[in-house]
Amino acid sequence: MSISDSSRPRFLLLFVDGVGLAPAVETNPFATVPTPALAAALGGALTLERIGAIPGGGLSALDATLGVPGLPQSATGQTALFTGENAPALLGRHVAALPGPRLAALLADHSVLKRARAAGHAVTFANPFTPAYFAEVEAGRRRHSATTLAALASGAPFRDADDLRAGRAVPWDVTGAFFKAFEANVEERLPEAAGRSLARLAGGLRLTLWETFMTDLAGHGRREWTPEEALARLDGLLAGLLADLPNDVTLLLTSDHGNLEERHHTSHTRNPVPLLALGPEAPAFATLTRIDEIAPKILERLGPRQRSLSETRRS
Ligand SMILES: [Zn+2]
C-alpha cells in the first residue's frame, strides 16, 4: 500500500535559543512569568514537572550536552539540532556563537532543510532577512548563524521585507520592531498576529523552521530583553499559532542549550532542553533523548515524497 502525498506529515520547528528545563522554583521565569498559551497546551508551565503530562507525546527532556564536558553552546548545539550530527563530540568541545569552517561544512552537507528538500519536500526558513544583512556577510563584517547556514544549504529562497508585510514571514523578535529599524514600511505586529502568520505558512509546506534568540539574550541578562518581555512575546506567538495551526501540522519546539530557566545567573546551563511536540506526529518524538535525534526523526517521518498519479503515469 502506498501513502499518498496528501497524508504526509507537516512539521513546524520552532527553535527557541537558550531554553532549558528546570524545576518550578522562583528563580525559573517559566514558573513565575504568566505564559497562558503554554499553560493551556501543557496543563502547566514549561518546567521539568510537566514531562509526560500529555499522553502520547507532549513534553520530553532532551540532553544538550551530548557527552561533552563544559557548558553547551550555540554553534555546536544548533549544528547538532539542524544536522543530527554530534557536533560538540566531533570538535571535542562546545563552540559558542557562530560556526567556523568545520561546523559550516557540516551544516552545508547535513542540514535537515537541505535533506528534506532533496527528498522532494517544500521547506522554508520563516524568518525574514534584509539585503543589508547579506551585504554585511559578503563584506566580511558578520558571519551567518548555524540556523541561517542550515537554511542556505537547502537552496530554498530566503524571506524578506515583502514577505513580512504580506504576513508570510515572522522575525526573530516576533513583533518586527528590530526589523523595522532596517526596512522602511514594516508595521509592528502583535505576537498573536505573528503566530497566526506562522500557522498559515506551516500549513502550506512540509517543513517550516522559525528561530528566535530573544530568550537567550534575556538569559544573558541583556538589558533590552527581560525574561518577562521574551516570554510574553513567545507565549503570545504560541497563542496565535496554536489557535490557527492546521491539524496536519506537528509543532516541535526545542532549544540548543539551557540559559533562561535560571535567572539568578547569566550563563548557559547543562540542564536538559524541552522538546514540546504537539500534533499528529507527536508520539513519534516522545522517545527522543538528545537534541541530535530531532533532525533524523523529522526526515524519517517525512520520508521520500510520493509521486502523484500523473507523475507515475508519465514515467
Ligand atoms: Zn547564549
Side-chain angles (χ1 to χ4, degrees):
M1 192 182 82
S2 75
I3 306 165
S4 80
D5 200 51
S6 60
S7 70
R8 292 270 158 183
R10 301 180 191 277
F11 292 101
L12 170 58
L13 178 56
L14 303 186
F15 163 57
V16 185
D17 197 320
V19 169
L21 275 175
V25 294
E26 66 178 26
T27 50
N28 183 352
F30 287 93
T32 59
V33 178
T35 49
L38 267 173
L42 267 174
L46 187 65
T47 62
L48 269 182
E49 291 81 1
R50 305 313 300 168
I51 293 171
I54 307 172
L59 181 64
S60 37
L62 302 184
D63 171 52
T65 70
L66 302 178
V68 175
L71 293 177
Q73 301 292 345
S74 285
T76 34
Q78 291 168 26
T79 301
L81 204 51
F82 300 130
T83 64
E85 301 290 322
N86 189 341
L90 287 168
L91 270 68
R93 63 192 176 95
H94 298 288
V95 178
L98 306 171
R102 286 182 71 190
L103 294 176
L106 208 56
L107 286 155
D109 285 347
H110 297 277
S111 157
V112 64
L113 290 170
K114 175 188 179 176
R115 285 188 287 165
R117 193 158 185 246
H121 302 294
V123 307
T124 200
F125 185 23
N127 295 58
F129 283 75
T130 61
Y133 167 83
F134 288 104
E136 291 264 292
V137 174
E138 192 70 26
R141 286 195 291 271
R142 62 188 299 171
R143 284 188 293 150
H144 293 304
S145 72
T147 320
T148 307
L149 288 168
L152 280 166
S154 76
F158 270 61
R159 290 175 188 272
D160 60 15
D162 287 337
D163 291 306
L164 182 55
R165 281 187 282 268
R168 296 187 305 255
V170 177
W172 67 269
D173 70 349
V174 179
T175 63
F178 184 83
F179 203 86
K180 206 175 138 181
F182 300 92
E183 279 278 345
N185 306 319
V186 169
E187 300 280 327
E188 282 185 60
R189 286 182 302 169
L190 291 172
E192 289 78 3
R196 285 194 294 275
S197 291
L198 203 48
R200 208 163 37 244
L201 196 58
L205 296 150
R206 290 290 164 199
L207 176 57
T208 301
L209 171 64
W210 178 73
E211 166 183 56
T212 184
F213 36 90
M214 58 188 181
T215 35
D216 194 55
L217 295 176
H220 285 303
R222 290 272 293 266
R223 247 180 324 175
E224 68 276 26
W225 284 104
T226 61
E228 285 74 14
E229 184 62 30
L231 288 184
R233 290 197 194 187
L234 178 64
D235 198 71
L237 173 112
L238 288 171
L241 176 61
L242 292 171
D244 278 14
L245 198 65
N247 58 17
D248 60 346
V249 180
T250 297
L251 169 72
L252 301 169
L253 182 155
T254 194
S255 190
D256 50 352
H257 53 71
N259 183 351
L260 180 58
E261 77 284 3
E262 294 186 2
R263 75 183 300 165
H264 51 293
H265 64 81
T266 56
S267 50
H268 292 179
T269 72
R270 284 177 62 84
N271 289 330
V273 298
L275 173 59
L276 175 61
L278 299 170
E281 289 289 317
F285 290 81
T287 55
L288 303 193
T289 60
R290 298 156 49 109
I291 59 170
D292 57 351
E293 293 172 341
I294 296 177
K297 182 58 77 176
I298 290 172
L299 292 167
E300 176 200 313
R301 301 303 297 178
L302 281 173
R305 186 177 70 95
Q306 301 295 303
R307 291 188 301 173
S308 69
L309 200 57
S310 59
E311 284 175 302
T312 309
R313 283 198 188 114
R314 276 199 298 273
S315 61

